[in-house]
């Protein structure tokens, strides 16, 4: 089944404790991206990747890192999480960048205490 | 920079009533996409509009792209309880996709 998977689905952590949210897609898509969703603000793009080893900042990249060592994986790294990073995070992928349908993962709800 | 504004933020309708959400951009959009997110779910692609003045239909859903390619709308005829969720528009900005804040639709049966 074609899908985007994310892990973990839920995470409660404390300020300053490094964490990684994994994202994997099995559709051989070149474009992958991370979004955060906050009430009243919609989806805001954190980082995106056009292909392996190619990443770029989205609209809200501060406090986040990403890497794209393999085509299928695009982990999101929070080196020192803070409470304002409490949010719902979605990974997405597409075979034609932003020119067509984005396939979203199920989401990761993160709480930083 | 380019922003995509979406209104209303929230709408509560009686089942059978129509519903419309509007999307406006400060700059010309090369394309506009619409997504639906069910409560507790993830965004799911509905459609993409590319041409000026384009109108597309999917059963009870009608999507329009303005002549100036700065605005778009999604209209649902005779809403059903299965239509509940948040509807997002999104416009391309270079290699990024900029989303509106979404319209939450609730349907009373």
């Amino acid at each position: 089944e074609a899908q985007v998977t994310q892990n973990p689905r839920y995470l409660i952590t404390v300020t300053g404790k490094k964490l990684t949210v994994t994202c994997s897609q099995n559709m051989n898509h070149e474009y992958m991206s991370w979004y955060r969703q906050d009430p009243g603000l919609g989806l805001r793009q954190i980082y995106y990747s056009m292909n392996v080893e190619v990443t770029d900042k989205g609209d809200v990249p501060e406090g986040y890192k990403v890497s794209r060592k393999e085509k299928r994986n695009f982990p999101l790294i929070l080196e020192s999480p803070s409470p304002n990073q409490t949010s719902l995070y979605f990974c997405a992928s597409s075979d034609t960048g932003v020119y067509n349908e984005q396939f979203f993962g199920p989401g990761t709800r993160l709480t930083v205490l | 920079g380019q922003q995509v504004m979406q209104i209303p933020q929230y709408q509560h309708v009686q089942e059978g009533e129509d519903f419309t959400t509007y999307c406006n951009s400060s700059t010309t959009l090369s394309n506009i996409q619409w997504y639906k997110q069910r409560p507790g779910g993830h965004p799911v692609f509905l459609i993409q509009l590319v041409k000026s003045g384009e109108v597309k239909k999917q059963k009870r859903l009608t999507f329009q792209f303005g002549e100036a390619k700065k605005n778009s709308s999604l209209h649902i005829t005779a809403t059903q309880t299965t239509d509940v969720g948040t509807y997002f528009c999104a416009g391309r900005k270079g290699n990024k996709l900029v989303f509106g804040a979404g319209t939450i639709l609730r349907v009373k049966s």
Side-chain angles (χ1 to χ4, degrees), chain B residues 47-71:
Chain B
I47 208 161
Q48 175 170 266
L49 305 171
V50 178
K51 298 177 184 174
S52 168
E54 190 169 13
V55 178
K56 287 188 177 181
K57 293 191 175 185
Q58 289 179 350
K59 297 183 181 178
R60 294 178 294 102
L61 277 61
T62 302
F63 304 84
Q64 290 188 304
F65 202 7
E67 293 290 341
K69 299 183 76 174
K70 287 187 174 183
N71 57 77

Side-chain angles (χ1 to χ4, degrees), chain A residues 5-102:
Chain A
T5 57
Q6 293 179 228
N7 281 291
R9 295 290 313 279
Y10 303 90
L11 179 60
I12 300 175
T13 188
V14 295
T15 298
K17 186 176 181 182
K18 180 179 179 180
L19 67 93
T20 299
V21 183
T22 65
C23 172
S24 183
Q25 50 92 6
N26 62 1
M27 295 171 279
N28 202 36
H29 286 168
E30 293 189 345
Y31 185 90
M32 296 186 73
S33 58
W34 276 102
Y35 295 86
R36 60 178 289 174
Q37 183 176 13
D38 302 290
L41 296 177
L43 292 150
R44 293 180 293 167
Q45 195 173 47
I46 303 170
Y47 269 95
Y48 65 95
S49 170
M50 300 292 291
N51 213 325
V52 175
E53 302 291 2
V54 181
T55 62
D56 212 340
K57 295 178 180 179
D59 291 324
V60 288
E62 294 77 23
Y64 305 95
K65 285 175 59 177
V66 293
S67 68
R68 188 92 182 272
K69 293 185 171 59
E70 306 165 282
K71 196 172 189 178
R72 63 184 292 126
N73 297 321
F74 190 44
L76 179 69
I77 303 154
L78 284 72
E79 294 270 1
S80 182
S82 62
N84 64 12
Q85 292 178 298
T86 292
S87 188
L88 178 58
Y89 291 87
F90 287 102
C91 179
S93 73
S94 167
D95 62 350
T96 52
V98 291
Y99 294 90
N100 219 325
E101 176 178 1
Q102 305 295 304

Side-chain angles (χ1 to χ4, degrees), chain B residues 30-103:
Chain B
S30 55
N31 67 358
I32 190 127
Q33 299 178 4
W34 285 93
Y35 291 80
K36 176 183 178 181
Q37 182 180 25
R38 294 183 186 276
H42 59 275
V44 175
F45 177 81
L46 293 175
I47 208 161
Q48 175 170 266
L49 305 171
V50 178
K51 298 177 184 174
S52 168
E54 190 169 13
V55 178
K56 287 188 177 181
K57 293 191 175 185
Q58 289 179 350
K59 297 183 181 178
R60 294 178 294 102
L61 277 61
T62 302
F63 304 84
Q64 290 188 304
F65 202 7
E67 293 290 341
K69 299 183 76 174
K70 287 187 174 183
N71 57 77
S72 182
S73 65
L74 158 58
H75 179 82
I76 302 179
T77 303
T79 54
Q80 299 175 358
T81 54
T82 53
D83 294 325
V84 298
T86 303
Y87 292 85
F88 293 100
C89 62
R92 185 172 73 87
K93 176 185 176 183
N95 289 316
K96 298 186 285 187
L97 210 52
V98 179
F99 281 78
T103 296

